[in-house]
Amino acid sequence: MAESSSAALAVAPIPSSADIARAEKLVRERFVHGGEDASVALAPGTARRRALDAALAELEANPKARHPSTAWRREFSLLLGLERLLSEDEPKLADGTVLSLHQVDALSGTLAALLAAAQSPASGGNGRAPTSASPELLASADILGPQEAPAEAGGRRADEAQRGAAEAYEEDDDLGEDDDEEPGDDELGPVARAAPDADEEDEDSYEFQDAGELNGDADLLAGEEELEADDELVQEGDEEAPDWVEEEAEEDESLAEQPEDPNAAKRFWFEHATGAGKTVAALGFVEASQTGGVLILTHRRNLVDQFHGELRDRGYSKRISKALLKGQDSPSDPVTVETYQWFVRNAGEISSAYTIVVCDEAHTALGEKTSRAIRDWTGPLFIGMTATGALIARHVTDLFPTQTSRFDLAQAARRGVIAPLRCVRISPGVGVRTIAKVPLRRGEVDTEFDQEELAKLLDQQPFNVAVANLYKTRFNGVPGVVYAAGVRHAYNLAEAFRAEGIKAQGVSGETPKRELAEILARYERGEIDVLINAQLLAEGWNSPRATVCMHLAPTASKRIYQQRVGRVTRRHPGKEAGLVVDFVHPATKHDDPVVTLHSLLDRDVYRGGAIVVGPIRRGRGRRMRVERRVLPVCAEEERRFEVFERELWRIAVEHLDYGEQHVWAALAGARVAPSGWRRARAMLHFDRSGELKSRFLITALQRNKNPQLRLRALSDIAALRDPDAFDTAIDIIGGWSRDERREATKIMLRALVERRIGRRDQANAWIWRLASYTREVHEEYAVQRWPETKRLLGLLVNSSGGAHARNARRLIHAARKQDRRLAAALLAAALAHTPEAEEALRGARTRMARKPPALARELLRNFPKRRARNARRRRKAGAAGAEEAAAEATLDPTTAADEQENDGVEVPASGAQTSAEDALTDRARPGAPGSSAPTQAADGQAPDAVAKKEIEPQDALEEQPAPDEAPGDDVVQEALQSDAPPELDGAGALAPNAGDELQRNVEDALEHAGE
């Protein structure tokens, strides 16, 4: 049977041109467009062929028919109209307005969904499940559902005829309540209870609803999302309404027993950003529906007037019609604009002439009553449109399953459809407690702050004055809208703004409608620059002139936030970008309850005053200063680390969390370059405790690859005078190369000379640790000064056990008899490898380090001075010599004669005694081994300076006392003639030729010192 049907469709002939013309005249749509082949366009099985066959069947049944039936209009009117409209090169409205790409996407997406449903094999021939309702029945017959309509249609229609068109929608429940019973006042939301009757609605041209007048909060949609019947309907009913609690329980039971949504496939929605032209897109559906009626539903009365104005301006004034009820039909494709309140009240009485229902701000139709009425009306197609469909807890897809187009705020700004958005964050300050203390209240659609508590928190006179002064300072003369925490707060702010000389006006739901209309008109004319409200102007008000959107009262709802921002997204001459002001801390992350522009758009980085979304147009009237530094604001740890990697040198470190400040300091220390050192240090200017600077410098020592920066970091660590950082730096130095370790030791010793860092015992330990890093330097100096040093150190190194300890004590005993500099060098060069020897050396070193700066100075003098490497440096030696002399004087306040005495002593190898006078005479002679007299070749000094020292009278030298730093003859003899312990070196005693070997070692040391 199925094969025969398919074969019949395949061979079905194309209707004649006359039949096609008759059908086109009936439905007022073309079945074959220009340039199309009729055999292809009207091929069997296509949606257009089915529409044509259905139209011809109606003409055959009634040759005098002048318009198609309701069933045909619901099935094919929009489909054929969209195909006609989109077949044009540039789809246009009646007045010639060309639809933009995103508006065309909304139409084409709906068409694609309709074609897919119409051509589905399981569609029952028309793309949808067949309904049992007669085409001539009213919408009330369809709204009861397929099981209840046949049984109760007659009695219900008679009952409705008696009560009239203004009677309320009656609900049938599973408990068998009377059909005449109406919903009680308690189950109606505050907006529904306050809504006027059908005959009174025409008088209310503006029906703004401010949360400040409803329960004292700023949630405008607390009642509008639950759009229910009027309060006065209770008086019209025959019986008393049931109790609210019982009704709620009964509704839950009935909802639990309801079958799967049978009309879901006929409900579509698209998302377009505020200011992107959703109204024009809705008129595209009006243009496409030439034979079917269009019902446009919106949530406010003033939006009804706006839609009427758009219809007149776009060339559809003749199609505007009053609401059709109770079997009223109009074949002249009527267009009616009404509110959701009206729709709920008349849900059982709306005419079936409406084949398309456009739901403006579809997120406001998610209330229980409104969504149930939409689900139960199975006749027309529903098209929902919103700017915030994906930003609420109760998603729009619960009611409108199929999304046909998406054009969000970011896409609209990038394409230039709306104005770019700039953002600046301003911390509320210490006068306002943290917003985190304000409790959150979960509403029907989303979660929001408790508005009463928020008003108590923010409505403070000093805060209001500060905000007014801020607006005057940064945005003086720029038109804007300020969102306050409640009605009273809005009026108090308006007074503060006017006191600052700003043309501001507060508005609310308490404002008379005529006065409100006049205020809005004055704002458009430029007589008012700032409008201050609680939530009145978040939706239903459009002013391209508005530029600044100040969220003085924060919100936890992304839907409300985007609606607010949408007030400044419309383009206007002279408007470079919309300016959004968030009163939050600059480092507020996306996981904070307060919604910000960056969390709304999921941006990683905040940069004050910069464009958050949209093209950057330089030099076109920018009204906000752009900060240079940035802050990561994303909540995910991986994304924040990516920002650290990418924007390391632009991050405002002072606004980061304490842990992230340390992370930044570590990264900066490892990656800083010589050219960025000063900038990195300047970015930590706020660090009073010095912890971040220490972290930065320690990491630079550990991980930075530039040796010059590592030495520079050492100097900065010493300047901090932080004992812990200083100790850590000394530990790190131990792992460096020999040359770097030597330079680092000089820096740290100089720091200990110039500054007092830590306790005395700490300084003592640091000095000897630094000395151990440069043991070879001190050993070289000690050997040069006193050749016996080499033998004593050799005995210490080559012994073990008890002999090692005795040799250590012997070296200590010899060091005690030397001057301070030589003794320090001997102890620094000693290396113990037994606990007993280490203990002896530690005690000797501790006794010597009673004055750590003096000890550090003596060890620092053991390092050889740098010499000029080229001629240019030698030419500058005269100027540098004075600086070196001053530095040397700081390190060592001894006289020049004492310096000459402390440099070295020439010791005869034969063991003969040498007087101190002879030693000084030899040292004063230029060119002598071990002499410290400078020469022109060595130090670059002038020859006359050398000659001056050469002609010093010998008598002057003889009158000087013996130097303290030169070892005495008796000490040398005692050290040379002392008996070695039996187990010394395992050899028992010195070899016979020990004196000759010692002589050679001394000569080598003196020759090295002369070089």
Side-chain angles (χ1 to χ4, degrees), residues 830-850:
L831 179 63
H833 50 262
T834 64
E836 186 178 358
E838 180 66 30
E839 185 67 24
L841 288 174
R842 185 182 302 112
R845 290 168 178 169
T846 302
R847 288 189 296 272
M848 178 170 285
R850 294 178 180 177

Side-chain angles (χ1 to χ4, degrees), residues 196-461:
D197 290 337
D199 55 349
E200 297 176 355
E201 289 176 351
D202 293 337
E203 300 176 1
D204 298 333
S205 60
Y206 288 93
E207 194 172 350
F208 286 91
Q209 302 272 343
D210 198 327
E213 65 182 2
L214 300 177
N215 302 326
D217 61 50
D219 189 0
L220 171 66
L221 301 180
E224 290 180 355
E225 289 158 356
E226 191 70 24
L227 302 174
E228 301 171 349
D230 195 300
D231 180 28
E232 299 178 0
L233 297 179
V234 179
Q235 302 176 2
E236 298 175 4
D238 297 334
E239 296 182 9
E240 183 180 357
D243 184 75
W244 183 82
V245 178
E246 295 178 2
E247 180 69 14
E248 186 71 22
E250 293 166 1
E251 288 177 3
D252 293 341
E253 293 177 6
S254 63
L255 286 175
E257 297 177 3
Q258 283 182 353
E260 185 178 356
D261 191 354
N263 200 36
K266 298 169 65 177
R267 295 195 293 271
F268 312 96
W269 74 287
F270 62 90
E271 179 182 357
H272 283 180
T274 304
K278 293 191 300 294
T279 304
V280 176
L283 297 185
F285 290 99
V286 174
E287 174 66 24
S289 180
Q290 296 284 10
T291 56
V294 180
L295 175 62
I296 301 176
L297 298 177
T298 186
H299 67 293
R300 285 186 178 177
R301 174 58 54 184
N302 68 304
L303 292 180
V304 173
D305 298 331
Q306 289 188 14
F307 265 105
H308 284 158
E310 287 287 338
L311 289 170
R312 295 187 185 95
D313 295 341
R314 305 296 181 183
Y316 302 101
S317 57
K318 295 182 179 180
R319 295 183 58 178
I320 298 177
S321 171
K322 66 177 183 178
L324 301 178
L325 301 172
K326 295 180 66 67
Q328 299 175 358
D329 195 1
S330 175
S332 59
D333 46 276
V335 177
T336 301
V337 185
E338 278 295 345
T339 62
Y340 288 111
Q341 293 98 323
W342 174 90
F343 175 70
V344 171
R345 290 196 304 269
N346 299 279
E349 306 163 5
I350 303 174
S351 170
S352 60
Y354 299 115
T355 61
I356 303 172
V357 179
V358 178
C359 298
D360 185 30
E361 303 294 348
H363 57 274
T364 62
L366 302 183
E368 189 65 36
K369 300 295 183 181
T370 307
S371 60
R372 182 188 301 177
I374 291 176
R375 286 189 174 95
D376 291 344
W377 195 6
T378 59
L381 293 172
F382 285 85
I383 308 295
M385 58 182 187
T386 180
T388 57
L391 302 179
I392 52 180
R394 199 173 193 178
H395 204 284
V396 175
T397 54
D398 295 342
L399 183 60
F400 301 90
T402 305
Q403 184 174 3
T404 58
S405 176
R406 186 171 187 269
F407 192 63
D408 58 17
L409 191 68
Q411 292 174 323
R414 283 195 296 266
R415 290 190 187 180
V417 177
I418 63 176
L421 293 176
R422 297 183 180 271
C423 180
V424 62
R425 294 182 173 185
I426 299 174
S427 181
V430 296
V432 179
R433 301 193 310 270
T434 175
I435 300 299
K437 296 183 179 180
V438 180
L440 293 171
R441 304 299 184 204
R442 186 173 183 84
E444 185 71 24
V445 177
D446 48 15
T447 303
E448 181 57 300
F449 291 111
D450 187 293
Q451 299 302 303
E452 293 184 1
E453 294 294 329
L454 193 63
K456 295 177 183 178
L457 174 69
L458 296 178
D459 194 4
Q460 303 177 20
Q461 183 62 22

Side-chain angles (χ1 to χ4, degrees), residues 635-757:
E636 295 79 5
E637 188 173 340
E638 294 182 358
R639 293 173 62 185
R640 294 182 71 85
F641 284 160
E642 290 177 0
V643 175
F644 272 72
E645 295 280 347
R646 185 176 67 249
E647 305 286 353
L648 183 63
W649 303 113
R650 299 175 60 198
I651 293 178
V653 189
E654 64 271 19
H655 294 311
L656 296 176
D657 296 338
Y658 180 77
E660 290 185 341
Q661 288 178 347
H662 278 267
V663 172
W664 183 92
L667 285 175
R671 300 184 181 183
V672 63
S675 60
W677 181 266
R678 294 182 61 186
R679 180 179 184 181
R681 291 296 308 275
M683 293 176 71
L684 296 174
H685 67 281
F686 63 93
D687 182 26
R688 303 300 182 187
S689 64
E691 295 181 2
L692 296 178
K693 296 177 183 177
S694 299
R695 181 65 180 272
F696 167 75
L697 297 172
I698 291 298
T699 309
L701 291 179
Q702 292 174 330
R703 299 170 54 188
N704 200 285
K705 298 180 180 180
N706 191 306
Q708 295 180 357
L709 285 184
R710 291 199 295 267
L711 296 178
R712 190 169 183 178
L714 276 178
S715 301
D716 292 346
I717 288 176
L720 292 177
R721 297 188 179 185
D722 183 3
D724 295 334
F726 199 86
D727 186 77
T728 304
I730 292 177
D731 290 338
I732 296 171
I733 290 173
W736 290 1
S737 62
R738 177 176 175 272
D739 293 338
E740 290 185 13
R741 190 167 58 242
R742 179 176 296 185
E743 294 297 325
T745 301
K746 292 171 62 178
I747 293 173
M748 303 303 275
L749 288 175
R750 185 176 291 109
L752 291 171
V753 171
E754 298 173 352
R755 302 177 181 89
R756 182 176 180 179
I757 304 174

Side-chain angles (χ1 to χ4, degrees), residues 102-117:
H102 64 280
Q103 293 163 346
V104 173
D105 288 342
L107 301 179
S108 61
T110 305
L111 175 61
L114 292 175
L115 289 175

Side-chain angles (χ1 to χ4, degrees), residues 424-699:
V424 62
R425 294 182 173 185
I426 299 174
S427 181
V430 296
V432 179
R433 301 193 310 270
T434 175
I435 300 299
K437 296 183 179 180
V438 180
L440 293 171
R441 304 299 184 204
R442 186 173 183 84
E444 185 71 24
V445 177
D446 48 15
T447 303
E448 181 57 300
F449 291 111
D450 187 293
Q451 299 302 303
E452 293 184 1
E453 294 294 329
L454 193 63
K456 295 177 183 178
L457 174 69
L458 296 178
D459 194 4
Q460 303 177 20
Q461 183 62 22
F463 182 59
N464 297 341
V465 172
V467 172
N469 181 266
L470 169 71
Y471 197 101
K472 182 178 181 180
T473 303
R474 305 194 65 171
F475 310 110
N476 191 24
V478 181
V481 55
V482 178
Y483 292 95
V487 176
R488 294 298 98 195
H489 189 206
Y491 290 141
N492 293 338
L493 272 173
E495 293 179 2
F497 272 64
R498 287 192 293 268
E500 291 288 339
I502 303 174
K503 296 182 292 184
Q505 184 68 46
V507 294
S508 69
E510 300 175 358
T511 307
K513 293 179 173 54
R514 289 188 178 181
E515 181 181 349
L516 176 62
E518 177 61 26
I519 291 174
L520 296 180
R522 289 171 57 197
Y523 182 84
E524 291 298 328
R525 294 194 299 266
E527 299 174 8
I528 297 176
D529 285 336
V530 181
L531 289 176
I532 305 175
N533 71 108
Q535 193 64 22
L536 177 67
L537 304 180
E539 294 179 329
W541 171 70
N542 301 322
S543 176
R545 181 172 176 263
T547 304
V548 178
C549 176
M550 182 174 286
H551 301 276
L552 187 58
T555 177
S557 170
K558 289 187 175 181
R559 173 184 60 83
I560 294 176
Y561 187 94
Q562 182 164 323
Q563 293 289 353
R564 290 179 177 180
V565 172
R567 302 314 107 196
V568 298
T569 57
R570 287 170 172 79
R571 304 197 68 87
H572 188 68
K575 181 177 178 180
E576 183 262 347
L579 310 180
V580 180
V581 182
D582 290 327
F583 277 85
V584 295
H585 189 273
T588 300
K589 295 187 277 191
H590 295 350
D591 55 0
D592 193 273
V594 178
V595 181
T596 63
L597 184 61
H598 291 75
S599 64
L600 178 71
L601 300 174
D602 196 24
R603 294 295 185 263
D604 293 340
V605 174
Y606 163 72
R607 184 184 180 192
I611 286 183
V612 181
V613 62
I616 300 176
R617 297 178 174 90
R618 302 184 183 277
R620 294 190 60 183
R622 188 178 70 191
R623 298 178 180 270
M624 188 178 293
R625 179 178 60 86
V626 179
E627 299 177 3
R628 293 186 177 181
R629 296 188 297 170
V630 302
L631 275 171
V633 292
C634 48
E636 295 79 5
E637 188 173 340
E638 294 182 358
R639 293 173 62 185
R640 294 182 71 85
F641 284 160
E642 290 177 0
V643 175
F644 272 72
E645 295 280 347
R646 185 176 67 249
E647 305 286 353
L648 183 63
W649 303 113
R650 299 175 60 198
I651 293 178
V653 189
E654 64 271 19
H655 294 311
L656 296 176
D657 296 338
Y658 180 77
E660 290 185 341
Q661 288 178 347
H662 278 267
V663 172
W664 183 92
L667 285 175
R671 300 184 181 183
V672 63
S675 60
W677 181 266
R678 294 182 61 186
R679 180 179 184 181
R681 291 296 308 275
M683 293 176 71
L684 296 174
H685 67 281
F686 63 93
D687 182 26
R688 303 300 182 187
S689 64
E691 295 181 2
L692 296 178
K693 296 177 183 177
S694 299
R695 181 65 180 272
F696 167 75
L697 297 172
I698 291 298
T699 309

